């Protein structure tokens, strides 16, 4: 073993939830990590705005500074680990670190999903690595699986529960009947939620991650601006119950899917989805994450684990550090490309507009409990060429109590174009017997 090799020197920018975990795990497992990496990995400098707290965490094992630029300017630092978050100062620091010839490790999916093209191009030009295993699904090695383990495959689709906060909220609401706000506060206390939790609950964080997976799976540039994003804030408790009665669970899924044929391209979308309760992924609860990948050779694979939290995320950050330690002295050509495909061999498949997405649907209509209502609704669907898979009609008294004149009709459809469904929903909504906004939740069989 190359015991004599000089340890890799790491500068940590931000020692909060993930930075703290990274420092602690590197310290605890340093000997085992050194045996794997072939050389030591030492955090020798830490920058954090809260210098006193940072000092209390690292003791005298590393120099602590308030100004991250001091870390970047230090010629002894080989790798800069950015764990600040956001697209602001983090972007500037990452680009400055690259310009200074440092390798970069980051858990910052927001930064890479929005500015990845610029950052990867800068790294390629400078001949340094930007590693980001922790940016998608926390501790699950999904980037390595997609980029290396599944490299033989033409990937057909990727679908995952990739936001721990929302999965935690949906699980707690369903199992314990707790209120949305109460569970969100708990997710924040546990360190799962983003600095701005609207990123979690509105699906933005999952869309950042889905964007990164789409780039690696299909060799397309990162295009967060083209992703369809819908969170869980509009989900009603009754839809969670109706879905259960129909044999489904509702999960916030990030989906990237290859579409062949006339309008070929990539579907890139995040939204609540009905998933058959018998699928393993439907039973992924709490802050756990899971990603399904379907490749033409391997078939469907599933990756499961902790998608957030201090040490699970640190596990992924450190895996990147070990990769960099091993490849530090290798030439740039010997490295795995950032987005799995060689930079000059990327695909120009477009990300499809949402109207072109094809999926099946759960529709809930609050209707007047009168003869002929269901026939008019199904007539509109038939006219649009939308095929019905199942219909469930509640008894009016179950919905509105004794004497109620309203009821819920739930319709499951077969696959149809989103644009076609939008047209049909508009027509159904205009019926005088449809008494409230129609709820539409997309349905994924994931088979
Ligand atoms: P935290 O807010 O816990 O930590 C960020 C740290 O950076 C804080 O200590 C903050 O100091 C410090 N900081 C802010 N600005 C600067 C600056 N200019 N220079 C130096 N330090 C600075 O965030 P997390 O650890 O939760 O997240 C870090 C990154 O990891 C984010 O990109 C996040 O999306 C990502 N991530 C987080 C996961 C998680 O489970 N938490 C999981 C996967 C990815 P102060 O507090 O004083 O402002
Ligand atoms: N806020 C994110 C989540 C952290 O809840 O999944 C992990 O990326």
């Amino acid at each position: 073993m190359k015991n004599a090799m000089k340890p890799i020197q790491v500068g940590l920018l931000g020692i909060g939830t993930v930075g703290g975990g990274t420092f602690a795990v590197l310290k605890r497992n340093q000997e085992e990590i050194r045996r794997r990496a072939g050389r030591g990995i030492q955090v020798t400098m830490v920058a954090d705005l809260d210098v006193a707290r940072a000092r209390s965490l690292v003791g005298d094992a590393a120099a602590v500074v308030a100004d991250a630029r001091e870390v970047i300017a230090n010629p002894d630092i080989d790798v800069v680990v950015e764990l600040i978050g956001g697209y602001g100062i983090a972007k500037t620091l990452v680009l400055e670190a690259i310009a200074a010839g440092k390798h970069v490790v980051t858990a910052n999916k927001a930064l890479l999903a929005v500015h990845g093209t610029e950052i990867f191009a800068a790294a390629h030009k400078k001949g340094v690595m930007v590693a980001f295993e922790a940016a998608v699904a926390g501790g699950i090695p999904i980037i390595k699986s997609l980029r290396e383990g599944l490299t033989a495959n033409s990937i057909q689709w990727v679908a995952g529960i990739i936001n721990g906060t929302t999965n935690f909220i949906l699980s707690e609401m369903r199992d314990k009947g707790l209120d949305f706000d109460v569970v969100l506060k708990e997710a924040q206390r546990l360190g799962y939620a983003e600095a701005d939790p609207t990123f979690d609950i509105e699906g933005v964080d999952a869309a950042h991650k889905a964007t990164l997976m789409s780039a690696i799976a299909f060799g397309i540039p990162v295009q967060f601006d083209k992703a369809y994003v819908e969170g869980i804030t509009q989900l009603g408790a009754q839809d969670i119950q109706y879905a259960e009665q129909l044999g489904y669970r509702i999960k916030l899924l990030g989906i990237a899917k290859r579409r062949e044929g006339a309008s070929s391209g990539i579907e890139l979308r995040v939204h609540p989805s009905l998933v058959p309760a018998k699928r393993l992924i439907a039973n992924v609860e709490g802050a756990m994450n899971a990603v399904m990948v379907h490749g033409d050779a391997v078939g469907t694979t599933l990756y499961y684990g902790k998608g957030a939290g201090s040490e699970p995320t640190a596990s992924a950050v450190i895996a990147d550090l070990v990769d960099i330690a091993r490849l530090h002295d290798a030439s740039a050509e010997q490295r795995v490309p950032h987005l799995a495909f060689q930079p000059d061999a990327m695909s120009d498949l477009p990300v499809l507009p949402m109207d072109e997405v094809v999926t099946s649907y759960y529709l809930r209509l609050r209707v007047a409990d009168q003869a002929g209502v269901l026939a008019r609704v199904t007539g509109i669907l038939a006219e649009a060429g939308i095929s019905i898979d199942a219909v469930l009609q509640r008894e009016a008294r179950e919905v509105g109590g004794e004497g109620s004149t309203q009821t819920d009709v739930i319709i499951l459809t077969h696959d149809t174009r989103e644009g076609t469904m939008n047209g049909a929903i508009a027509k159904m909504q205009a019926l005088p017997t449809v008494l409230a906004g129609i709820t539409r939740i997309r349905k994924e069989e994931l088979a």
Side-chain angles (χ1 to χ4, degrees):
M1 203 174 91
K2 299 174 264 181
N3 274 334
M5 282 179 92
K6 202 168 127 289
I8 287 282
Q9 295 207 31
V10 176
L12 205 57
L13 312 186
I15 187 157
T17 304
V18 182
T22 300
F23 189 84
V25 175
L26 265 177
K27 190 171 168 200
R28 188 169 76 231
N29 295 343
Q30 59 179 311
E31 181 50 23
E32 202 146 350
I33 290 167
R34 186 188 62 78
R35 284 167 50 217
R36 290 197 173 108
R39 63 202 301 178
I41 297 176
Q42 285 177 356
V43 177
T44 51
M45 256 187 123
V46 172
D48 198 284
L49 297 182
D50 190 340
V51 172
R53 192 176 48 83
R55 279 222 177 88
S56 73
L57 288 171
V58 305
D60 46 18
V64 176
V65 294
D67 182 0
R69 289 197 168 92
E70 280 188 49
V71 176
I72 294 169
N74 183 339
D76 294 332
I77 295 292
D78 302 299
V79 189
V80 168
V81 180
E82 183 278 306
L83 297 172
I84 293 171
Y87 328 95
I89 185 68
K91 179 186 175 197
T92 310
L93 294 172
V94 163
L95 287 172
E96 286 181 9
I98 291 169
K102 317 284 187 197
H103 301 297
V104 171
V105 175
T106 180
N108 192 337
K109 55 267 169 164
L111 175 65
L112 294 181
V114 176
H115 299 292
T117 302
E118 180 184 351
I119 289 169
F120 295 129
H124 184 65
K125 196 163 161 212
K126 196 73 189 176
V128 296
M129 293 175 260
V130 174
F132 53 100
E133 183 63 69
V136 182
I140 305 174
I142 188 63
I143 299 294
K144 211 175 190 52
S145 302
L146 279 169
R147 206 162 57 171
E148 298 176 51
L150 298 174
T151 199
N153 289 266
S154 167
I155 305 234
Q156 303 301 306
W157 53 263
V158 180
I161 296 171
I162 43 179
N163 182 269
T165 302
T166 44
N167 204 49
F168 182 71
I169 292 172
L170 290 176
S171 301
E172 295 285 285
M173 282 174 70
R174 203 195 66 231
D175 291 349
K176 301 186 184 153
L178 293 174
D179 281 346
F180 187 100
D181 292 342
V182 172
V183 192
L184 174 59
K185 281 212 174 70
E186 180 63 358
Q188 287 175 292
R189 192 187 67 76
L190 292 166
Y192 304 148
E194 294 304 299
D196 177 356
T198 57
F199 271 34
D200 296 293
I201 59 179
E202 296 297 356
V204 177
D205 176 71
H208 288 147
K209 295 165 180 168
T211 298
L212 291 174
M213 291 199 292
S214 71
I216 294 173
F218 305 115
I220 58 171
V222 283
Q223 297 166 80
F224 170 71
D225 55 333
K226 306 241 173 77
Y228 173 82
V229 189
E230 184 183 315
I232 62 166
T233 49
Q234 302 304 316
L235 264 185
Q238 70 271 49
D239 295 310
I240 296 176
Q241 283 163 14
Y242 289 150
E244 292 268 340
Q245 289 165 19
L246 289 159
Y248 291 86
R249 291 263 165 91
I250 299 182
K251 295 289 182 189
L252 184 72
L253 290 186
I255 298 170
K257 194 185 253 182
R258 186 194 294 274
R259 280 267 312 286
E260 318 275 3
S263 54
S264 62
I266 304 297
E267 296 182 0
L268 176 56
R269 48 196 171 99
V270 169
H271 48 70
S273 304
L274 267 75
V275 178
K278 63 184 179 209
R279 298 263 179 275
L280 285 174
I281 199 166
N283 296 286
V284 170
E285 302 291 7
M288 301 306 278
N289 280 197
V291 182
M292 294 176 80
V293 183
H294 185 86
D296 67 336
V298 73
T300 304
T301 56
L302 174 69
Y303 309 82
Y304 168 82
K306 288 188 178 155
S310 178
E311 292 205 358
T313 312
S315 164
V317 169
I318 295 167
D320 280 343
L321 285 171
V322 170
D323 268 355
I324 290 175
R326 287 174 178 148
L327 289 168
H328 187 256
D329 300 321
S331 71
E333 291 71 40
Q334 288 170 289
R335 298 176 191 147
V336 181
H338 290 117
L339 295 177
F341 292 74
Q342 299 297 335
D344 59 358
M346 298 292 280
S347 160
D348 57 3
L349 272 176
V351 173
L352 296 168
M354 194 58 191
D355 268 7
E356 293 299 325
V357 160
V358 175
T359 187
S360 54
Y361 293 86
Y362 160 105
L363 304 174
R364 179 172 57 79
L365 295 87
R366 175 59 59 91
V367 296
D369 190 18
Q370 292 169 11
V373 170
L374 189 56
R376 276 191 287 280
V377 166
T378 55
I380 289 172
L381 291 171
E383 231 172 69
I386 298 170
S387 163
I388 294 173
D389 181 29
V391 177
L392 174 72
Q393 181 166 352
R394 310 306 304 163
E395 281 190 37
R397 69 182 161 78
E398 281 176 35
V399 173
E402 226 38 75
S404 169
T405 55
Q406 305 182 1
T407 190
D408 279 341
V409 171
I410 296 104
I411 300 173
L412 299 184
T413 76
H414 288 296
D415 276 355
T416 192
R417 254 185 80 252
E418 174 100 358
T420 309
M421 180 53 85
N422 287 341
I425 288 178
K427 282 189 183 160
M428 292 187 288
Q429 194 67 75
L431 292 172
T433 44
V434 172
L435 306 174
I438 296 173
T439 298
R440 165 244 309 266
I441 307 176
R442 298 165 191 91
K443 183 162 82 65
E444 303 295 327
E445 290 301 322
L446 302 177

